[in-house]
Amino acid sequence: MKPAPFTYHRPANLAEALALLRAHGPAAKPIAGGQSLGPMLNMRLARPSHLVDLNDLIELDRVRVKENMLEIGALTRHHRLANAPEVQRSLPLLGAAAASIGHYAIRQRGTIGGSLAHADPAAQLPLIAVTLGATLVISGTAGAREVPASAFLQSIMTVDLRDGELITALRFPLPVGDLWAFEAFSRRHGDFALVSVALSFARDAEGKIIALRLGLGGVDTVPLRLPEIEARAQGRPADENTIRDLAAASAAAIAPEDSEQVPVVYRRELAETLVIRAFQSALNREKGA
Ligand SMILES: Cc1cc2nc3c(=O)[nH]c(=O)nc-3n(C[C@H](O)[C@H](O)[C@H](O)COP(=O)(O)OP(=O)(O)OC[C@H]3O[C@@H](n4cnc5c(N)ncnc54)[C@H](O)[C@@H]3O)c2cc1C
């Protein structure tokens, strides 16, 4: 199918883009990489009468470490996130998650802002943002506001974004634990994951787990951080007993949707297996295995 007719706008900077979005209100939609909106336009699931192309807003394509945070501009593409030295040095979990998105062509065009705004519950970048406590910077003609990712993502494809607003950046607090892993399972290479796990933690001088962050994607209408499992891990050694206990408790803590294709029991078992795998790959990476 072809999209319904629309007027195409190509603003040169953020101020122009915000003015266009404000002028056209709910009839306008921004487009960044087009990797989610393009198919929705073609299927006429989205029928904006004005399309505001963000691709010339080069000020939103940036990765920088600022004081105690990593700031990523909304137009930063998955490919750049996967390869930026700043990300690899300060937040390799984010880089690994970006590298696992879809296929090469999608990573070349898709942006972090588009991924957060689209809010697919199985998408990688919203999961990392929620797990690591990122904040979104959201701009409108009246100014900017900051919203935690966990509050921004409200349900499937439902976010705290008002007409005329744009996501301009994501801010990830630093430092995070030096042990980390991203694990996901999908039926075919390049498909959205059925379940994914983001893990980051550190250990104290005695080898006990501290500062654990654990998040699961694909198990609810939004990505979930599991603070009760994080608390359960605190002060325990990262041995097989602990890991198996945390994985079983994670699976018990979720209430995924039931469907004929993916029954609840299957998603729970997948969550348990992937949590175990995440801890193991974090520890193996430390050993250089
Ligand atoms: C075959 C296929 C496989 C895929 N597999 C995966 C996968 O495994 N994992 C995954 O996470 N994603 C996957 N995707 C989606 C892809 O990652 C998209 O890149 C991403 O969801 C959207 O980013 P985009 O820049 O392309 O956004 P667009 O498609 O341009 O826009 C998406 C939505 O965000 C809005 N938007 C865009 N930028 C902003 C902004 N700055 N502020 C406010 N609103 C904005 C748009 O109006 C639209 O509603 C897949 C896509 C395809 C086609």
Side-chain angles (χ1 to χ4, degrees):
M1 247 170 110
K2 295 271 185 279
F6 56 78
T7 306
Y8 173 77
H9 305 269
R10 185 119 186 179
N13 53 47
L14 178 61
E16 266 184 37
L18 291 174
L20 279 164
L21 288 169
R22 183 178 174 164
H24 297 293
K29 248 194 172 314
I31 184 162
Q35 298 305 300
S36 296
L37 186 54
M40 290 183 75
L41 292 172
N42 287 342
M43 289 185 277
R44 300 202 174 192
L45 294 170
R47 303 170 69 114
S49 41
H50 295 268
L51 211 53
V52 178
D53 190 336
L54 307 181
N55 280 283
D56 285 345
L57 277 56
I58 45 170
E59 67 264 49
L60 300 189
D61 182 4
R62 60 165 193 266
V63 175
R64 65 182 174 209
V65 178
K66 243 175 93 182
E67 290 150 25
N68 52 354
M69 73 171 92
L70 178 68
E71 187 178 275
I72 316 265
L75 203 65
T76 308
R77 305 198 192 267
H78 310 328
H79 175 75
R80 179 165 176 204
L81 277 184
N83 294 290
E86 299 90 335
V87 177
Q88 278 169 8
R89 267 196 306 273
S90 58
L91 213 54
L93 170 58
L94 176 64
S100 76
I101 294 174
H103 304 277
Y104 179 77
I106 290 152
R107 293 193 295 277
Q108 289 291 328
R109 297 305 301 163
T111 66
I112 192 168
S115 181
L116 267 292
H118 186 64
D120 189 303
Q124 282 86 332
L125 301 179
L127 170 63
I128 303 300
V130 166
T131 305
L132 297 184
T135 299
L136 281 85
V137 183
I138 295 172
S139 301
T141 45
R145 62 192 176 100
E146 291 195 24
V147 185
S150 53
F152 177 78
L153 298 161
Q154 297 173 336
S155 187
I156 300 178
M157 293 182 197
T158 307
V159 296
D160 175 12
L161 203 55
R162 301 166 199 153
D163 289 337
E165 286 188 328
L166 279 176
I167 303 168
T168 43
L170 269 87
R171 291 180 176 153
F172 289 86
L174 295 176
V176 292
D178 53 338
L179 289 152
W180 61 272
F182 178 78
E183 292 289 334
F185 178 84
S186 44
R187 286 198 168 125
R188 277 185 323 186
H189 170 70
D191 280 2
F192 276 95
L194 289 182
V195 176
S196 47
V197 173
L199 172 73
S200 164
F201 66 103
R203 284 183 301 175
D204 66 12
E206 291 167 17
K208 294 187 175 142
I209 298 173
I210 51 170
L212 172 68
R213 292 280 183 143
L214 178 64
L216 294 184
V219 298
D220 211 321
T221 56
V222 288
L224 292 184
R225 194 182 145 202
L226 301 177
E228 64 286 2
I229 309 298
E230 295 171 0
R232 194 180 175 109
Q234 197 67 20
R236 293 171 68 182
D239 59 14
E240 196 181 331
N241 274 347
T242 304
I243 293 171
R244 289 200 177 275
D245 173 60
L246 296 178
S250 302
I254 56 174
E257 193 195 348
D258 198 19
S259 74
E260 249 177 62
Q261 298 78 20
V262 193
V264 172
V265 61
Y266 182 71
R267 242 186 250 269
R268 278 223 175 91
E269 282 184 12
L270 209 45
E272 185 167 349
T273 302
L274 291 176
V275 170
I276 293 172
R277 212 178 271 174
F279 273 104
Q280 287 170 343
S281 52
L283 295 166
N284 284 341
R285 188 176 305 104
E286 186 190 39
K287 284 188 226 144

